[in-house]
Amino acid sequence: QVQLVQSGGGSVQTGGSLRLTCTASGLADSGYSMAWFRQAPGKGREFVAADTWLGKYYVDNVKGRFAISRDNNNNTVILQMDSLKPEDTAIYYCADRNYFCYDSGCYSASVYDYWGQGTQVTVSS
């Protein structure tokens, strides 16, 4: 049984930093593609970043502020979020895909096979 367990998140003021961690268990191999999505109140689930064997991808409004990384030995994906803004407020979800994805092919939530439980991130002005 595959499980993605998230930790981190919380509340910060504008300009602050937070770190999200997602650890996968039950995977036969390290996730080919692991990603972070977010969902703000009243909005759909939005792609944030992905780390695949083919590259790292970010949505434009987090480039230069967020960094995704992986520790394959521990099946862990990390999202370091710096220079946070109120518009980053959302529930953040990690996701895993059992195959490669490339660039915009990684942006759709529908291509991912497993999901974490979600973590609240709140940025106040």
Side-chain angles (χ1 to χ4, degrees):
Q1 180 181 0
V2 177
Q3 280 191 314
L4 302 182
V5 178
Q6 298 178 219
S7 61
S11 299
V12 293
Q13 293 188 324
T14 297
S17 297
L18 287 172
R19 180 182 174 99
L20 304 180
T21 300
C22 173
T23 300
S25 61
L27 290 172
D29 299 292
S30 296
Y32 286 88
S33 303
M34 299 189 79
W36 290 94
F37 285 74
R38 64 188 178 187
Q39 189 163 13
K43 296 188 176 181
R45 195 163 293 192
E46 175 193 33
F47 171 80
V48 176
D51 189 333
T52 82
W53 289 8
L54 301 177
K56 298 183 182 185
Y57 311 104
Y58 298 90
V59 67
D60 284 347
N61 59 18
V62 307
K63 286 180 180 178
R65 300 188 298 120
F66 290 12
I68 189 171
S69 61
R70 296 210 291 182
D71 176 356
N72 287 328
N73 289 333
N74 295 308
N75 279 349
T76 297
V77 62
I78 297 164
L79 186 68
Q80 177 65 41
M81 305 183 291
D82 299 322
S83 302
L84 282 160
K85 304 176 180 180
E87 51 264 43
D88 295 318
T89 295
I91 298 174
Y92 283 69
Y93 297 89
C94 66
D96 176 84
R97 169 174 164 83
N98 285 334
Y99 200 67
F100 301 108
C101 63
Y102 176 71
D103 203 354
S104 61
C106 303
Y107 294 3
S108 173
S110 65
V111 308
Y112 292 88
D113 302 295
Y114 306 104
W115 292 86
Q117 80 274 19
T119 301
Q120 179 68 48
V121 170
T122 302
V123 185
S124 58
S125 57

